[in-house]
């Protein structure tokens, strides 16, 4: 919003000027817009990093000595909070739920060392910290030894619900059933003016649930066969997993114990008030 408002302040070109002068003004205007966008991008990255530091400082207080934290989703905010708790000398245990998507080695190298294996190795190197990595189908079994659940979010909605990696809703339902607190760690720039009525009201297209009949099965078999032949010839494969990797689900606010942001700890019902402060 700040970027748009500043760009709109640009004065319109003055009429009755030679074409060369008008062209020079347009080039100067383009350079100014480009520099403004780059500056805003750098500022956003800097503030996002600062927000995660503040979130970590607040969230680490929820990690008491002897606590067992269950987490999933490769959230950098959660990783920073666990790192902060470990640096403070808190002895605790972590249960990482392994992502059902392909391993991070298949993902582009963007400098983000926040996959489960990397975070587990880093935490295991700190005194007093023990880490286990479990499969998604083992979560219900493990919850009996878990003290609290911490996850990140792709977006925090107006009603206090969250959009996050597929499987977060499942964790929240199981945590509620086992009477375990469910905390969401998210930066305030992820707050969204969206009020979904249900799981399928999100403005995203996903093919998670795709019914097929007999006619579809033959086409599917042909595609699988072609993909297998491509793998044997070294032509890649696995591209069909992209939709699954990007899949998200919606966790309603009644399953969220609290949201930890860089501003303060919020109850789900306080999100709408915070959105009013941000937008108005």
């Amino acid at each position: 919003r700040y970027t748009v408002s500043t760009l709109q302040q640009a004065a319109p070109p003055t009429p009755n000027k030679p074409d060369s002068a008008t062209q020079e003004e347009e080039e100067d205007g383009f350079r100014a817009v480009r520099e403004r966008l780059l500056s805003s991008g750098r500022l956003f990255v800097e503030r996002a990093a600062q927000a995660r530091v503040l979130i970590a400082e607040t969230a680490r207080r929820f990690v008491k000595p002897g606590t067992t934290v269950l987490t999933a989703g490769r959230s950098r905010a959660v990783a920073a909070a666990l790192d902060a708790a470990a640096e403070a000398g808190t002895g605790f245990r972590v249960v990482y739920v392994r992502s059902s998507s392909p391993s991070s080695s298949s993902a582009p190298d963007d400098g983000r060392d926040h996959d489960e294996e990397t975070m587990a190795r880093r935490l295991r190197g700190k005194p007093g910290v023990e880490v286990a990595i479990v499969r998604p189908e083992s979560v219900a079994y493990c919850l009996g030894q878990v003290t609290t659940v911490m996850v990140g979010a792709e977006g925090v909605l107006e009603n206090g619900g969250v959009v996050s990696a597929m499987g977060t809703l499942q964790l929240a339902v199981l945590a509620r059933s086992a009477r375990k607190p469910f905390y969401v760690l998210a930066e305030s720039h992820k707050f969204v003016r969206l009020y979904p009525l249900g799981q399928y009201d999100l403005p995203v297209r996903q093919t998670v649930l795709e019914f097929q009949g007999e006619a579809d099965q033959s086409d599917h078999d042909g595609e699988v066969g072609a993909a297998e032949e491509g793998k044997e010839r070294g032509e890649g494969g696995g591209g069909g997993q992209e939709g699954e990797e990007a899949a998200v689900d919606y966790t309603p606010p009644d399953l969220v114990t609290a949201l930890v942001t860089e501003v303060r700890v919020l109850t789900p019902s306080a999100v709408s008030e915070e959105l009013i402060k941000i937008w108005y």
Side-chain angles (χ1 to χ4, degrees), residues 32 48 139 145 158 165 187 192 199 201 222 228-229 238 251-252 261 277:
V139 170
Q145 299 187 48
E158 193 170 354
E187 305 90 329
V192 182
Q199 190 67 226
D201 287 336
E228 292 296 332
E229 291 178 5
T251 302
T261 74
K277 294 179 182 178

Side-chain angles (χ1 to χ4, degrees), residues 27-49:
E27 291 177 356
D28 290 342
F30 174 79
R31 282 192 290 269
V33 170
R34 179 180 180 274
E35 184 56 37
R36 173 62 67 182
L37 291 174
L38 291 174
S39 175
S40 297
R42 288 190 291 266
L43 181 62
F44 175 81
V45 171
E46 180 182 342
R47 288 181 175 176

Side-chain angles (χ1 to χ4, degrees), residues 157 162-164 194-206 248-251:
L157 308 184
V162 297
V163 175
S164 194
L194 185 67
Y195 202 113
L197 298 178
Q199 190 67 226
Y200 309 111
D201 287 336
L202 299 178
V204 292
R205 299 182 62 183
Q206 304 187 121
V248 295
D249 59 24
Y250 162 64
T251 302

Side-chain angles (χ1 to χ4, degrees), residues 46-66:
E46 180 182 342
R47 288 181 175 176
Q50 293 173 351
R52 285 193 290 272
V53 172
L54 295 174
I55 290 172
E57 184 61 28
T58 301
R60 74 174 180 83
R61 301 169 189 168
F62 293 96
V63 184
K64 306 293 185 183

Side-chain angles (χ1 to χ4, degrees), residues 86-126:
E87 293 295 338
T90 305
F92 62 97
R93 298 187 297 181
V94 181
V95 179
Y96 276 113
V97 181
R98 188 185 302 277
S99 173
S100 58
S101 63
S103 65
S104 58
S105 60
S106 64
D109 183 11
D110 59 358
R112 299 178 181 180
D113 56 346
H114 57 282
D115 61 276
E116 299 95 338
E117 298 290 347
T118 304
M119 291 191 294
R121 284 195 299 269
R122 185 169 66 243
L123 286 174
R124 283 170 178 155
K126 300 181 184 298

Side-chain angles (χ1 to χ4, degrees), residues 130-155:
E130 298 178 342
V131 183
I133 301 178
V134 301
R135 297 191 301 269
E137 59 267 28
S138 305
V139 170
Y141 175 84
C142 298
L143 273 175
Q145 299 187 48
V146 168
T147 309
T148 185
V149 180
M150 285 187 178
V151 298
E154 301 291 341

